[in-house]
Structure formats: C-alpha cells, structure tokens
Amino acid sequence: MSNKQLDEAKALSYAPIGVFDSGVGGLTVAREIMRQLPDERIVYFGDTARVPYGSKSKETIIRFSRQIIRFLKTKNVKAIVVACNTASALALEEIQSELDIPIIGVLKPGAKVAAETTENGKIGVIATESTIASQLYTKVIQSHLPQAQVLGKPCPLFVPLVEEGWMKDPVTVEVANRYLEPLKESGIDTLILGCTHYPLLRSTVRQVMGEEVNLVNPAYETAIELKGLLDDMDLLNDGKGQFEGPVHQFYVSDAAEKFKSFANSILPYGIDTTQLIHIEEY
Ligand code: DGL
C-alpha cells in the first residue's frame, strides 16, 4: 500500500459507526459498543416518530431502513449496525447488497451464541411479532444446531412499556408473567432477548423466568462481531484522530428531549443534545 492509501485508510478508521433502531432499544447495543470499543464514535438514530416497527410489514421496514441508511451515510459512517431485531430480520438481507460499507445486524450473533450455549437444546425467543413471524431466529439457530427446538413468543406490549420508561412497574411484571408463562412451562434452558428493547426489562424477565434460564442479550455478541469485522478490515479506531463536536451523536425523528433523558439514564456517557431530523426527507 502507498503512503497515500495508508493515510486514507487511517482517516476512514476515524469515521463513526452508524447505529439505528426504532427508538431507545438500540441504545442497549450502543451501550455495549461503547463498553467494548471505547475508541469508536457512534452516530445513533432512533426512529421515535415511527416506533414500533414490530407490527409493520417487511416492505415498510425495508423503506424505513433505506431512509435511515441514506441519512447515516450523510454523516460519513464507516460501518452500520442495525440495532433492531425487526429490521435485522426483515430488511438486512435486502439492503446489505445495496451498500458499499459493512453492515451487521443483531439477530445472527445472538442466535449463534444461544445455539452454542444451550445444554438441553430447548431455546426460547422473545421478540416482536414481525421478528417471530419471520422465523429467522429458528432458521439461524438450527443452522448451528439442527436438533434445536425453538419456541418463539411475541411480546408486543414490551416495547411501549419500555418507551414509556415503565421498566420495573407492577404492570410490566404482570404483562411479563402473562407472556412468559408458556415458555417457563416448556423447559427451555436459554432465552434470547430478541428485541433490543428487552434487555432493559432483563431484571423483570429474570424474576419471572428464575435463575436457571440463561438470558442471551444479542447486543453483547453483536459488539464482539463488530470488533472482529472492523479489525479484519483495518477499520478499528485507535482513538488518536482529531474531530470536531461530540464523540457520539444522537438523532431522532420525534420527542428529542424525552429520548435524551432516557439515553442519559442508561448510557455510561452523558449526552448533551439530541437532534430532531425529518427522516422522510431522506
Ligand atoms: N427494538 C426493535 C427490535 O429489536 C424494534 C421494536 C419495535 O419497534 O417494535 O425489534
């Protein structure tokens, strides 16, 4: 490689990573990237005007994802993380072939680790209606462990409860009891939190499912996969680059102040501003 090419590659490694979700759920993935890759910068987009994604059609999710990617590309991101299981299940395959930068989702890394860690081969998946209907968790788990029994359970009320900030409210515990009862009775030893909002309900899910069931948070595995991918492509940020403005940037399509205070309650990094954008213009 010439010196000029080396300089260009270095400059690219200082570019941020685009991360998106329908709302605050993807912050669980952003938080994990911040922990595991502290030198990386993030441009986060939460589609708070159009949440929830989990009951929408594949065509709609693909259209939304394309708009968000067009927006993130205006921020010169070097890679994109689809921090939403629904978009990972419904849109990722279609959109990745349209992109000239790496893109990863959260579904495959979580499915893989569940297949690798289950002892009795019975795996539960809680996710949005669209993610469960896509059957993609079952397919990916069985590609690693053909004899696995996968029990999917949509939990549509979890997303609005989290967006409302009712993580430990008695109503949420009651809803969790109703949703999780059949999974509890089925004898699963592993449960995938297959929606990026759900790790925020981890302690409630733990309380209902008991200590014996292993809870898989795909965010953790996704950050590991992202690190490997950036490393392979020589895109890891060494933290020595110069840039202007905040380390991480946050954009939403609605309710910026509400998003900001939520983000500040769960991120290890305080955010000063969240900017509102008109995503339909992209
Ligand atoms: N957090 C997203 C997911 O992982 C979407 C939730 C929703 O908007 O329904 O599926």
Side-chain angles (χ1 to χ4, degrees):
M1 235 197 254
S2 70
N3 281 348
K4 186 168 174 265
Q5 282 170 322
L6 276 172
D7 285 349
E8 278 169 9
K10 195 88 208 149
L12 187 57
S13 75
Y14 293 140
I17 297 162
V19 177
F20 76 89
D21 179 44
S22 60
V24 297
L27 291 170
T28 61
V29 181
R31 175 172 69 179
E32 204 49 53
I33 296 170
M34 289 174 187
R35 278 188 192 136
Q36 293 189 38
L37 295 158
D39 288 326
E40 296 297 338
R41 297 160 53 217
I42 290 173
V43 178
Y44 185 95
F45 176 75
D47 202 355
T48 45
R50 305 188 291 195
V51 64
Y53 279 11
S55 49
K56 294 189 171 68
S57 69
K58 186 178 170 92
E59 291 66 36
T60 300
I61 300 303
I62 291 173
R63 185 170 71 79
F64 288 177
S65 300
R66 283 195 178 117
Q67 287 176 331
I68 296 166
I69 287 167
R70 279 196 284 271
F71 163 70
L72 290 173
K73 289 205 80 177
T74 68
K75 301 290 163 196
N76 297 318
V77 295
K78 64 181 172 185
I80 291 178
V81 177
V82 183
C84 171
N85 284 267
T86 309
S88 300
L90 271 56
L92 182 57
E93 200 183 346
E94 181 103 7
I95 53 183
Q96 66 189 357
S97 58
E98 300 165 4
L99 270 177
D100 55 357
I101 55 170
I103 180 165
I104 61 167
V106 283
L107 194 150
K108 288 185 181 170
K112 182 167 177 275
V113 76
E116 285 167 356
T117 51
T118 179
E119 285 178 8
N120 70 5
K122 285 189 184 175
I123 299 171
V125 181
I126 50 173
T128 65
E129 287 167 301
S130 304
T131 301
I132 297 295
S134 78
Q135 293 276 326
L136 200 58
Y137 264 113
T138 307
K139 280 186 209 138
V140 179
I141 290 168
Q142 289 178 344
S143 73
H144 294 288
L145 187 68
Q147 72 278 22
Q149 263 179 276
V150 184
L151 286 103
K153 177 75 187 166
C155 303
L157 293 175
F158 278 175
V159 170
L161 287 167
V162 168
E163 291 281 331
E164 200 53 40
W166 289 15
M167 266 79 81
K168 295 196 174 135
D169 194 278
V171 168
T172 309
V173 178
E174 177 57 29
V175 169
N177 268 309
R178 294 270 284 271
Y179 280 147
L180 300 176
E181 196 54 41
L183 288 176
K184 223 178 139 178
E185 282 169 7
S186 67
I188 55 166
D189 70 354
T190 304
L191 178 62
I192 302 177
L193 306 177
C195 168
T196 53
H197 283 70
Y198 298 179
L200 297 164
L201 298 174
R202 191 187 179 96
S203 59
T204 301
V205 174
R206 165 67 67 221
Q207 187 185 327
V208 175
M209 293 304 294
E211 292 297 324
E212 301 75 41
V213 174
N214 176 33
L215 302 182
V216 173
N217 174 4
Y220 182 78
E221 314 305 326
T222 303
I224 295 176
E225 186 170 314
L226 176 66
K227 188 174 185 180
L229 179 77
L230 295 178
D231 199 13
D232 287 350
M233 300 182 79
D234 273 332
L235 283 175
L236 271 178
N237 192 333
D238 63 11
K240 294 180 185 151
Q242 306 273 321
F243 59 89
E244 282 172 21
V247 181
H248 306 297
Q249 299 169 52
F250 296 85
Y251 297 87
V252 289
S253 48
D254 199 7
E257 279 308 307
K258 189 175 168 196
F259 178 92
K260 193 180 89 177
S261 58
F262 196 107
N264 278 327
S265 71
I266 68 155
L267 290 179
Y269 165 95
I271 45 177
D272 299 328
T273 50
T274 299
Q275 291 179 53
L276 192 66
I277 59 153
H278 297 290
I279 195 66
E280 294 283 358
E281 287 171 7
Y282 288 87

